[in-house]
Amino acid sequence: ETKCGKEKVQAVIDHYGETLPHAECVIFSDYGKHFSESAADIIGMANELKVPILVDPKSPDWTAYAGADLIKPNLAELHAVGGNISALLKKFRIKQMLLTEGERGMTLWGKSKQPLKVQADAQQVIDVTGAGDTSIAAWAVGKSEALGDMDCLDFANAAAGVVCRKMGTAVCWRDEVG
């Protein structure tokens, strides 16, 4: 990473620190580009201000994601980090895990003694591009509307189903979700 690249990352983090006190929620999507080394700082800043932080992980090293309110791996990402959900939540002090399981739906682990499960909502899958991003965004919207965990799970699942019925990177509009 060049000095210029580090300066740009720092400028974004500085802006994040300025706007964070006004945020209802933060979604940290780790695409493995530039911000991976800053994940712990980004999460720590949100924790200090008690702003819920949701993480979409890419790295098999979840150390940087410690303390997140929710982590949303897919099955491959979960297996890459060892697959033991209870141990991962405890080890990294993560409150909840929203596991996206493709055609098998989604499962929420964490607060309840039993995981909450919903079946996939895509009747005709055309393209799965963006389904994971949509599910975490929809979860955040549901939480901002004070929905309970099961309602958020249903909403995230339905929104992901909508984008799976569209070609390419697609938007899910609120009125498309039942």
Side-chain angles (χ1 to χ4, degrees), residues 7 15 18 35 53-54 75 80 96 103 115-116 126 128 131 136 171 175:
E7 289 172 0
H15 180 71
E18 293 167 11
F35 291 93
I53 184 150
L54 318 177
L75 284 170
Q96 292 180 296
E103 67 278 354
L116 302 175
I126 294 173
V128 298
I136 198 168
V171 173
D175 63 352

mmCIF file with all atom_site columns, all heavy atoms in Angstrom, residues 7 15 18 35 53-54 75 80 96 103 115-116 126 128 131 136 171 175:
data_model
loop_
_atom_site.group_PDB
_atom_site.id
_atom_site.type_symbol
_atom_site.label_atom_id
_atom_site.label_alt_id
_atom_site.label_comp_id
_atom_site.label_asym_id
_atom_site.label_entity_id
_atom_site.label_seq_id
_atom_site.pdbx_PDB_ins_code
_atom_site.Cartn_x
_atom_site.Cartn_y
_atom_site.Cartn_z
_atom_site.occupancy
_atom_site.B_iso_or_equiv
_atom_site.pdbx_formal_charge
_atom_site.auth_seq_id
_atom_site.auth_comp_id
_atom_site.auth_asym_id
_atom_site.auth_atom_id
_atom_site.pdbx_PDB_model_num
ATOM 1   N N   . GLU A 1 7   ? -2.878  7.437   3.402   1.00 0.00 ? 7   GLU A N   1
ATOM 2   C CA  . GLU A 1 7   ? -3.451  8.750   3.715   1.00 0.00 ? 7   GLU A CA  1
ATOM 3   C C   . GLU A 1 7   ? -4.945  8.775   3.393   1.00 0.00 ? 7   GLU A C   1
ATOM 4   O O   . GLU A 1 7   ? -5.734  9.353   4.151   1.00 0.00 ? 7   GLU A O   1
ATOM 5   C CB  . GLU A 1 7   ? -2.713  9.850   2.959   1.00 0.00 ? 7   GLU A CB  1
ATOM 6   C CG  . GLU A 1 7   ? -1.306  10.102  3.485   1.00 0.00 ? 7   GLU A CG  1
ATOM 7   C CD  . GLU A 1 7   ? -0.510  11.065  2.618   1.00 0.00 ? 7   GLU A CD  1
ATOM 8   O OE1 . GLU A 1 7   ? -1.035  11.556  1.603   1.00 0.00 ? 7   GLU A OE1 1
ATOM 9   O OE2 . GLU A 1 7   ? 0.655   11.303  2.972   1.00 0.00 ? 7   GLU A OE2 1
ATOM 10  N N   . HIS A 1 15  ? -13.114 10.807  8.869   1.00 0.00 ? 15  HIS A N   1
ATOM 11  C CA  . HIS A 1 15  ? -14.501 11.187  8.558   1.00 0.00 ? 15  HIS A CA  1
ATOM 12  C C   . HIS A 1 15  ? -15.483 10.279  9.302   1.00 0.00 ? 15  HIS A C   1
ATOM 13  O O   . HIS A 1 15  ? -16.487 10.749  9.840   1.00 0.00 ? 15  HIS A O   1
ATOM 14  C CB  . HIS A 1 15  ? -14.746 11.123  7.048   1.00 0.00 ? 15  HIS A CB  1
ATOM 15  C CG  . HIS A 1 15  ? -16.132 11.491  6.655   1.00 0.00 ? 15  HIS A CG  1
ATOM 16  N ND1 . HIS A 1 15  ? -16.612 12.784  6.715   1.00 0.00 ? 15  HIS A ND1 1
ATOM 17  C CD2 . HIS A 1 15  ? -17.164 10.730  6.230   1.00 0.00 ? 15  HIS A CD2 1
ATOM 18  C CE1 . HIS A 1 15  ? -17.873 12.799  6.334   1.00 0.00 ? 15  HIS A CE1 1
ATOM 19  N NE2 . HIS A 1 15  ? -18.230 11.563  6.032   1.00 0.00 ? 15  HIS A NE2 1
ATOM 20  N N   . GLU A 1 18  ? -15.882 11.388  12.802  1.00 0.00 ? 18  GLU A N   1
ATOM 21  C CA  . GLU A 1 18  ? -16.687 12.614  12.909  1.00 0.00 ? 18  GLU A CA  1
ATOM 22  C C   . GLU A 1 18  ? -18.184 12.326  12.758  1.00 0.00 ? 18  GLU A C   1
ATOM 23  O O   . GLU A 1 18  ? -19.004 12.969  13.403  1.00 0.00 ? 18  GLU A O   1
ATOM 24  C CB  . GLU A 1 18  ? -16.246 13.620  11.844  1.00 0.00 ? 18  GLU A CB  1
ATOM 25  C CG  . GLU A 1 18  ? -14.849 14.166  12.059  1.00 0.00 ? 18  GLU A CG  1
ATOM 26  C CD  . GLU A 1 18  ? -14.318 14.908  10.843  1.00 0.00 ? 18  GLU A CD  1
ATOM 27  O OE1 . GLU A 1 18  ? -15.102 15.187  9.901   1.00 0.00 ? 18  GLU A OE1 1
ATOM 28  O OE2 . GLU A 1 18  ? -13.106 15.203  10.828  1.00 0.00 ? 18  GLU A OE2 1
ATOM 29  N N   . PHE A 1 35  ? -9.110  -1.507  4.323   1.00 0.00 ? 35  PHE A N   1
ATOM 30  C CA  . PHE A 1 35  ? -9.591  -1.244  5.666   1.00 0.00 ? 35  PHE A CA  1
ATOM 31  C C   . PHE A 1 35  ? -9.441  -2.429  6.611   1.00 0.00 ? 35  PHE A C   1
ATOM 32  O O   . PHE A 1 35  ? -9.762  -2.322  7.780   1.00 0.00 ? 35  PHE A O   1
ATOM 33  C CB  . PHE A 1 35  ? -11.048 -0.771  5.631   1.00 0.00 ? 35  PHE A CB  1
ATOM 34  C CG  . PHE A 1 35  ? -11.185 0.587   5.021   1.00 0.00 ? 35  PHE A CG  1
ATOM 35  C CD1 . PHE A 1 35  ? -11.447 0.727   3.674   1.00 0.00 ? 35  PHE A CD1 1
ATOM 36  C CD2 . PHE A 1 35  ? -10.992 1.725   5.789   1.00 0.00 ? 35  PHE A CD2 1
ATOM 37  C CE1 . PHE A 1 35  ? -11.538 1.984   3.105   1.00 0.00 ? 35  PHE A CE1 1
ATOM 38  C CE2 . PHE A 1 35  ? -11.080 2.990   5.230   1.00 0.00 ? 35  PHE A CE2 1
ATOM 39  C CZ  . PHE A 1 35  ? -11.356 3.120   3.875   1.00 0.00 ? 35  PHE A CZ  1
ATOM 40  N N   . ILE A 1 53  ? -22.608 -2.274  15.556  1.00 0.00 ? 53  ILE A N   1
ATOM 41  C CA  . ILE A 1 53  ? -21.761 -2.489  14.384  1.00 0.00 ? 53  ILE A CA  1
ATOM 42  C C   . ILE A 1 53  ? -21.944 -3.907  13.868  1.00 0.00 ? 53  ILE A C   1
ATOM 43  O O   . ILE A 1 53  ? -21.840 -4.875  14.611  1.00 0.00 ? 53  ILE A O   1
ATOM 44  C CB  . ILE A 1 53  ? -20.281 -2.142  14.659  1.00 0.00 ? 53  ILE A CB  1
ATOM 45  C CG1 . ILE A 1 53  ? -19.468 -2.284  13.366  1.00 0.00 ? 53  ILE A CG1 1
ATOM 46  C CG2 . ILE A 1 53  ? -19.702 -2.932  15.795  1.00 0.00 ? 53  ILE A CG2 1
ATOM 47  C CD1 . ILE A 1 53  ? -18.289 -1.366  13.277  1.00 0.00 ? 53  ILE A CD1 1
ATOM 48  N N   . LEU A 1 54  ? -22.274 -3.991  12.584  1.00 0.00 ? 54  LEU A N   1
ATOM 49  C CA  . LEU A 1 54  ? -22.529 -5.249  11.899  1.00 0.00 ? 54  LEU A CA  1
ATOM 50  C C   . LEU A 1 54  ? -21.386 -5.490  10.929  1.00 0.00 ? 54  LEU A C   1
ATOM 51  O O   . LEU A 1 54  ? -21.005 -4.582  10.194  1.00 0.00 ? 54  LEU A O   1
ATOM 52  C CB  . LEU A 1 54  ? -23.849 -5.173  11.123  1.00 0.00 ? 54  LEU A CB  1
ATOM 53  C CG  . LEU A 1 54  ? -25.026 -4.488  11.825  1.00 0.00 ? 54  LEU A CG  1
ATOM 54  C CD1 . LEU A 1 54  ? -26.231 -4.426  10.897  1.00 0.00 ? 54  LEU A CD1 1
ATOM 55  C CD2 . LEU A 1 54  ? -25.370 -5.185  13.115  1.00 0.00 ? 54  LEU A CD2 1
ATOM 56  N N   . LEU A 1 75  ? -21.688 -19.618 4.374   1.00 0.00 ? 75  LEU A N   1
ATOM 57  C CA  . LEU A 1 75  ? -21.194 -20.936 4.794   1.00 0.00 ? 75  LEU A CA  1
ATOM 58  C C   . LEU A 1 75  ? -19.701 -21.117 4.548   1.00 0.00 ? 75  LEU A C   1
ATOM 59  O O   . LEU A 1 75  ? -18.988 -21.636 5.403   1.00 0.00 ? 75  LEU A O   1
ATOM 60  C CB  . LEU A 1 75  ? -21.983 -22.047 4.099   1.00 0.00 ? 75  LEU A CB  1
ATOM 61  C CG  . LEU A 1 75  ? -23.378 -22.302 4.638   1.00 0.00 ? 75  LEU A CG  1
ATOM 62  C CD1 . LEU A 1 75  ? -24.149 -23.248 3.723   1.00 0.00 ? 75  LEU A CD1 1
ATOM 63  C CD2 . LEU A 1 75  ? -23.323 -22.850 6.057   1.00 0.00 ? 75  LEU A CD2 1
ATOM 64  N N   . ALA A 1 80  ? -14.203 -21.504 6.754   1.00 0.00 ? 80  ALA A N   1
ATOM 65  C CA  . ALA A 1 80  ? -12.811 -21.051 6.685   1.00 0.00 ? 80  ALA A CA  1
ATOM 66  C C   . ALA A 1 80  ? -12.270 -20.648 8.050   1.00 0.00 ? 80  ALA A C   1
ATOM 67  O O   . ALA A 1 80  ? -11.062 -20.697 8.286   1.00 0.00 ? 80  ALA A O   1
ATOM 68  C CB  . ALA A 1 80  ? -12.684 -19.884 5.709   1.00 0.00 ? 80  ALA A CB  1
ATOM 69  N N   . GLN A 1 96  ? -24.092 -11.676 18.053  1.00 0.00 ? 96  GLN A N   1
ATOM 70  C CA  . GLN A 1 96  ? -24.953 -12.485 17.191  1.00 0.00 ? 96  GLN A CA  1
ATOM 71  C C   . GLN A 1 96  ? -24.246 -12.815 15.877  1.00 0.00 ? 96  GLN A C   1
ATOM 72  O O   . GLN A 1 96  ? -23.374 -12.061 15.436  1.00 0.00 ? 96  GLN A O   1
ATOM 73  C CB  . GLN A 1 96  ? -26.250 -11.743 16.857  1.00 0.00 ? 96  GLN A CB  1
ATOM 74  C CG  . GLN A 1 96  ? -27.170 -11.541 18.041  1.00 0.00 ? 96  GLN A CG  1
ATOM 75  C CD  . GLN A 1 96  ? -28.423 -10.812 17.638  1.00 0.00 ? 96  GLN A CD  1
ATOM 76  O OE1 . GLN A 1 96  ? -28.378 -9.666  17.222  1.00 0.00 ? 96  GLN A OE1 1
ATOM 77  N NE2 . GLN A 1 96  ? -29.559 -11.483 17.755  1.00 0.00 ? 96  GLN A NE2 1
ATOM 78  N N   . GLU A 1 103 ? -29.380 -21.420 -0.718  1.00 0.00 ? 103 GLU A N   1
ATOM 79  C CA  . GLU A 1 103 ? -30.736 -21.963 -0.945  1.00 0.00 ? 103 GLU A CA  1
ATOM 80  C C   . GLU A 1 103 ? -31.364 -22.536 0.320   1.00 0.00 ? 103 GLU A C   1
ATOM 81  O O   . GLU A 1 103 ? -32.553 -22.826 0.353   1.00 0.00 ? 103 GLU A O   1
ATOM 82  C CB  . GLU A 1 103 ? -30.728 -23.009 -2.063  1.00 0.00 ? 103 GLU A CB  1
ATOM 83  C CG  . GLU A 1 103 ? -29.983 -24.283 -1.744  1.00 0.00 ? 103 GLU A CG  1
ATOM 84  C CD  . GLU A 1 103 ? -28.469 -24.208 -1.936  1.00 0.00 ? 103 GLU A CD  1
ATOM 85  O OE1 . GLU A 1 103 ? -27.968 -23.181 -2.429  1.00 0.00 ? 103 GLU A OE1 1
ATOM 86  O OE2 . GLU A 1 103 ? -27.787 -25.188 -1.584  1.00 0.00 ? 103 GLU A OE2 1
ATOM 87  N N   . PRO A 1 115 ? -31.155 -21.343 17.875  1.00 0.00 ? 115 PRO A N   1
ATOM 88  C CA  . PRO A 1 115 ? -31.017 -20.446 16.722  1.00 0.00 ? 115 PRO A CA  1
ATOM 89  C C   . PRO A 1 115 ? -32.374 -20.227 16.051  1.00 0.00 ? 115 PRO A C   1
ATOM 90  O O   . PRO A 1 115 ? -33.261 -21.084 16.110  1.00 0.00 ? 115 PRO A O   1
ATOM 91  C CB  . PRO A 1 115 ? -30.054 -21.194 15.803  1.00 0.00 ? 115 PRO A CB  1
ATOM 92  C CG  . PRO A 1 115 ? -30.118 -22.612 16.233  1.00 0.00 ? 115 PRO A CG  1
ATOM 93  C CD  . PRO A 1 115 ? -30.473 -22.614 17.683  1.00 0.00 ? 115 PRO A CD  1
ATOM 94  N N   . LEU A 1 116 ? -32.519 -19.070 15.428  1.00 0.00 ? 116 LEU A N   1
ATOM 95  C CA  . LEU A 1 116 ? -33.715 -18.753 14.647  1.00 0.00 ? 116 LEU A CA  1
ATOM 96  C C   . LEU A 1 116 ? -33.399 -19.037 13.186  1.00 0.00 ? 116 LEU A C   1
ATOM 97  O O   . LEU A 1 116 ? -32.345 -18.639 12.686  1.00 0.00 ? 116 LEU A O   1
ATOM 98  C CB  . LEU A 1 116 ? -34.089 -17.279 14.822  1.00 0.00 ? 116 LEU A CB  1
ATOM 99  C CG  . LEU A 1 116 ? -34.356 -16.811 16.251  1.00 0.00 ? 116 LEU A CG  1
ATOM 100 C CD1 . LEU A 1 116 ? -34.592 -15.296 16.276  1.00 0.00 ? 116 LEU A CD1 1
ATOM 101 C CD2 . LEU A 1 116 ? -35.528 -17.553 16.854  1.00 0.00 ? 116 LEU A CD2 1
ATOM 102 N N   . ILE A 1 126 ? -32.053 -16.161 -10.153 1.00 0.00 ? 126 ILE A N   1
ATOM 103 C CA  . ILE A 1 126 ? -31.452 -15.766 -11.421 1.00 0.00 ? 126 ILE A CA  1
ATOM 104 C C   . ILE A 1 126 ? -29.978 -15.455 -11.212 1.00 0.00 ? 126 ILE A C   1
ATOM 105 O O   . ILE A 1 126 ? -29.123 -15.863 -11.978 1.00 0.00 ? 126 ILE A O   1
ATOM 106 C CB  . ILE A 1 126 ? -32.199 -14.556 -12.024 1.00 0.00 ? 126 ILE A CB  1
ATOM 107 C CG1 . ILE A 1 126 ? -33.622 -14.993 -12.400 1.00 0.00 ? 126 ILE A CG1 1
ATOM 108 C CG2 . ILE A 1 126 ? -31.464 -13.990 -13.226 1.00 0.00 ? 126 ILE A CG2 1
ATOM 109 C CD1 . ILE A 1 126 ? -34.527 -13.882 -12.843 1.00 0.00 ? 126 ILE A CD1 1
ATOM 110 N N   . VAL A 1 128 ? -27.203 -14.582 -7.690  1.00 0.00 ? 128 VAL A N   1
ATOM 111 C CA  . VAL A 1 128 ? -27.052 -14.365 -6.245  1.00 0.00 ? 128 VAL A CA  1
ATOM 112 C C   . VAL A 1 128 ? -26.168 -13.161 -5.911  1.00 0.00 ? 128 VAL A C   1
ATOM 113 O O   . VAL A 1 128 ? -25.952 -12.864 -4.739  1.00 0.00 ? 128 VAL A O   1
ATOM 114 C CB  . VAL A 1 128 ? -26.507 -15.627 -5.526  1.00 0.00 ? 128 VAL A CB  1
ATOM 115 C CG1 . VAL A 1 128 ? -27.473 -16.779 -5.684  1.00 0.00 ? 128 VAL A CG1 1
ATOM 116 C CG2 . VAL A 1 128 ? -25.111 -15.982 -6.023  1.00 0.00 ? 128 VAL A CG2 1
ATOM 117 N N   . ALA A 1 131 ? -26.631 -10.729 -2.709  1.00 0.00 ? 131 ALA A N   1
ATOM 118 C CA  . ALA A 1 131 ? -27.604 -11.232 -1.730  1.00 0.00 ? 131 ALA A CA  1
ATOM 119 C C   . ALA A 1 131 ? -27.096 -11.058 -0.294  1.00 0.00 ? 131 ALA A C   1
ATOM 120 O O   . ALA A 1 131 ? -27.857 -10.666 0.596   1.00 0.00 ? 131 ALA A O   1
ATOM 121 C CB  . ALA A 1 131 ? -27.935 -12.695 -2.007  1.00 0.00 ? 131 ALA A CB  1
ATOM 122 N N   . ILE A 1 136 ? -27.507 -8.063  5.018   1.00 0.00 ? 136 ILE A N   1
ATOM 123 C CA  . ILE A 1 136 ? -27.001 -7.309  6.170   1.00 0.00 ? 136 ILE A CA  1
ATOM 124 C C   . ILE A 1 136 ? -27.587 -5.895  6.182   1.00 0.00 ? 136 ILE A C   1
ATOM 125 O O   . ILE A 1 136 ? -27.912 -5.350  7.244   1.00 0.00 ? 136 ILE A O   1
ATOM 126 C CB  . ILE A 1 136 ? -25.456 -7.317  6.245   1.00 0.00 ? 136 ILE A CB  1
ATOM 127 C CG1 . ILE A 1 136 ? -24.987 -6.917  7.656   1.00 0.00 ? 136 ILE A CG1 1
ATOM 128 C CG2 . ILE A 1 136 ? -24.832 -6.457  5.172   1.00 0.00 ? 136 ILE A CG2 1
ATOM 129 C CD1 . ILE A 1 136 ? -23.517 -7.179  7.920   1.00 0.00 ? 136 ILE A CD1 1
ATOM 130 N N   . VAL A 1 171 ? -30.870 -3.628  -6.840  1.00 0.00 ? 171 VAL A N   1
ATOM 131 C CA  . VAL A 1 171 ? -31.403 -2.936  -5.671  1.00 0.00 ? 171 VAL A CA  1
ATOM 132 C C   . VAL A 1 171 ? -32.706 -3.608  -5.260  1.00 0.00 ? 171 VAL A C   1
ATOM 133 O O   . VAL A 1 171 ? -33.505 -4.014  -6.106  1.00 0.00 ? 171 VAL A O   1
ATOM 134 C CB  . VAL A 1 171 ? -31.671 -1.452  -6.002  1.00 0.00 ? 171 VAL A CB  1
ATOM 135 C CG1 . VAL A 1 171 ? -32.381 -0.748  -4.865  1.00 0.00 ? 171 VAL A CG1 1
ATOM 136 C CG2 . VAL A 1 171 ? -30.365 -0.747  -6.354  1.00 0.00 ? 171 VAL A CG2 1
ATOM 137 N N   . ASP A 1 175 ? -40.797 -1.541  -1.099  1.00 0.00 ? 175 ASP A N   1
ATOM 138 C CA  . ASP A 1 175 ? -42.110 -2.053  -1.498  1.00 0.00 ? 175 ASP A CA  1
ATOM 139 C C   . ASP A 1 175 ? -42.045 -3.420  -2.187  1.00 0.00 ? 175 ASP A C   1
ATOM 140 O O   . ASP A 1 175 ? -43.075 -4.055  -2.420  1.00 0.00 ? 175 ASP A O   1
ATOM 141 C CB  . ASP A 1 175 ? -42.869 -1.045  -2.370  1.00 0.00 ? 175 ASP A CB  1
ATOM 142 C CG  . ASP A 1 175 ? -42.180 -0.755  -3.687  1.00 0.00 ? 175 ASP A CG  1
ATOM 143 O OD1 . ASP A 1 175 ? -41.033 -1.206  -3.908  1.00 0.00 ? 175 ASP A OD1 1
ATOM 144 O OD2 . ASP A 1 175 ? -42.785 -0.056  -4.522  1.00 0.00 ? 175 ASP A OD2 1
#
